[in-house]
Amino acid sequence: MAGILDSKSRIMDVVITEQGRRQLASGQMKIEYATFTDIGAFYSGDVDGVIEDPTGRIYFEAASDLPSDLITFETDDSGFLVPYRADNLGVGGKNLIISGSARNKDNSTGAASAISSAILESWNNLQVIGTNDPLDDEQGFTLSRKTATFSIRRDFPFKKSDVKVAVIDDIEGLNNDVRLSNLQNFKYLPPVNSVGALAGRTIGRFPDNNEKSDSDKQQLETRLSFLEFADIDFVQTSIENNFVMQVFELSGDDGIIKLDVIDYGTKRSSKDPNKFVRTLFAGKIMRDGYSNPTFVNIFTMEIS
C-alpha cells in the first residue's frame, strides 16, 4: 500500500496541450487513455546503488506544445489537418512537406512511409513507461504485405447496371444512410404522447426514410462480397493486438486529406461462424445543395 506522505508538495504537473485546448474549446475533449513517462526524470546513484537525494535539484514545470504531444494526425472543424511536425516531415492544412521540400506529386509511396515514420517518431519521443509481459514473446508488429493494388477499368468494379456517376444531392444524407442505421442517434424516433389516454402512441404519421430494412443491409453486404479485395494478415503482433489506424488520401491536386471512417459494427462472419467481422467504411463527408452532410464511400475494410 502506498500513499502521499506530504499532501502540500506538488508531485505532478498536468498541462493541457494545444490540441487538448482546441478540443476543450469546442466541447469535444474526452480523456480515454493515460500514459506515464519518465522523460523529465534524472536517475543518479552512488557507488552502493542507492538513488541520490533529489531535494537539492532544480525542477522545471512540465513542457507543453512539443512535437511529440501530437501522435496521430488530427483535423480541425473545416476538415483540414492540424499542423503536425516531425524531424523529416511537416503537415498543415492540405500541404505535406518531407525533408524540407514539397512532396513530389508522383511519390505517394514515399509520402506514406514518411507519415508512418513521423507517427512512430512522436510515439518514441514520449518515452512511455511500460511493462513487458514475460509470457508474451511476440512484441513486434509485422504485416503479411505493405501494399495492395486494385484494378479500376471501364467495366470493373462497376457493372453496366450500376450507377457510375452520382450527384451529391441524389445520395442519401447521413440521417438516412444505412451505414449508420445501427446507431441509436440515427434511428427513427417519431414523437409520442407522454401522458394521458394516448400515452405511448405517436402524435402523427411521420415517414421513415431511413435505410434500415433487412433488404437494404443484405443488399449492401452482398455488394461488398462481389468487390475486389486484398487480405492483409497480422504475422506478428501482441496478445491484445491493439492498434491505431488512420486513412489518408494523397493526390497531386488536393494534397493530403484524412478520410472519415464510419464504424458499421461487428457481425458474425458468413464464411466462418466462429469469427466476428468488424466493417469500416472510409470516405469523405460532403455537403449537398441543402447543406446536409453526405458520406461518399471510397473503400471498405473488414477486420476479423
Side-chain angles (χ1 to χ4, degrees):
M1 182 176 180
I4 300 176
L5 301 180
D6 186 357
S7 60
K8 297 183 179 179
S9 298
R10 182 172 61 180
I11 62 170
M12 181 183 297
D13 279 337
V14 179
V15 180
I16 300 179
T17 62
E18 180 180 356
Q19 174 66 13
R21 292 193 296 270
R22 186 187 69 83
Q23 294 179 356
L24 184 63
S26 60
Q28 299 177 348
M29 185 176 182
K30 184 179 180 182
I31 301 177
E32 297 187 15
Y33 304 98
T35 57
F36 293 90
T37 174
D38 61 351
I39 191 173
F42 178 77
Y43 300 103
S44 178
D46 55 19
V47 293
D48 296 328
V50 181
I51 297 179
E52 295 181 357
D53 185 5
T55 55
R57 299 179 188 154
I58 299 176
Y59 287 86
F60 297 95
E61 291 186 349
S64 181
D65 295 336
L66 300 176
S68 57
D69 289 341
L70 195 62
I71 300 176
T72 57
F73 290 77
E74 301 286 346
T75 56
D76 56 20
D77 296 335
S78 59
F80 292 104
L81 289 174
V82 173
Y84 186 101
R85 60 189 188 275
D87 287 345
N88 298 319
L89 179 141
V91 176
K94 291 185 178 181
N95 300 318
L96 175 63
I97 305 299
I98 300 177
S99 300
S101 60
R103 178 180 66 87
N104 187 342
K105 295 182 179 181
D106 299 327
N107 188 16
S108 297
T109 303
S113 177
I115 292 174
S116 301
S117 300
I119 294 176
L120 183 60
E121 174 190 327
S122 296
W123 171 257
N124 290 333
N125 289 341
L126 287 178
Q127 298 184 20
V128 175
I129 299 175
T131 302
N132 291 330
D133 188 352
L135 302 179
D136 184 10
D137 56 352
E138 293 187 358
Q139 295 292 335
F141 184 78
T142 306
L143 300 178
S144 60
R145 57 194 301 181
K146 295 183 178 181
T147 61
T149 303
F150 297 92
S151 302
I152 300 179
R153 303 187 301 270
R154 183 179 296 274
D155 57 342
F156 187 85
F158 303 104
K159 301 178 181 179
K160 292 183 178 180
S161 58
D162 291 340
V163 177
K164 300 180 178 60
V165 179
V167 181
I168 298 297
D169 291 349
D170 296 335
I171 303 177
E172 295 79 8
L174 287 180
N175 292 332
N176 303 322
D177 199 323
V178 66
R179 300 176 184 86
L180 297 171
S181 60
N182 59 326
L183 301 179
Q184 292 291 339
N185 293 354
F186 291 88
K187 291 186 179 298
Y188 175 63
L189 296 174
V192 298
N193 294 282
S194 59
V195 294
L198 299 178
R201 296 185 181 181
T202 57
I203 296 178
R205 293 185 179 181
F206 299 91
D208 183 3
N209 297 322
N210 289 351
E211 292 183 312
K212 64 177 182 59
S213 62
D214 293 337
S215 60
D216 292 329
K217 293 184 178 181
Q218 292 175 0
Q219 184 178 2
L220 175 63
E221 295 170 1
T222 302
R223 173 63 179 167
L224 293 177
S225 64
F226 286 100
L227 294 179
E228 184 180 8
F229 65 91
D231 288 328
I232 301 178
D233 299 323
F234 293 97
V235 178
Q236 185 179 13
T237 183
S238 62
I239 295 178
E240 295 84 3
N241 194 28
N242 293 327
F243 63 94
V244 177
M245 179 171 59
Q246 292 185 302
V247 187
F248 299 92
E249 179 187 68
L250 300 173
S251 64
D253 298 331
D254 295 332
I256 176 173
I257 299 176
K258 181 181 176 182
L259 298 182
D260 299 297
V261 177
I262 293 180
D263 189 350
Y264 190 58
T266 303
K267 61 181 179 64
R268 196 175 295 273
S269 174
S270 58
K271 297 181 180 179
D272 187 352
N274 296 323
K275 292 184 178 181
F276 289 88
V277 178
R278 185 175 183 179
T279 304
L280 305 174
F281 298 100
K284 299 179 181 180
I285 294 181
M286 300 181 177
R287 296 279 180 175
D288 60 16
Y290 304 95
S291 297
N292 296 320
T294 301
F295 181 76
V296 179
N297 186 213
I298 297 179
F299 62 95
T300 305
M301 297 166 287
E302 291 187 336
I303 304 175
S304 62

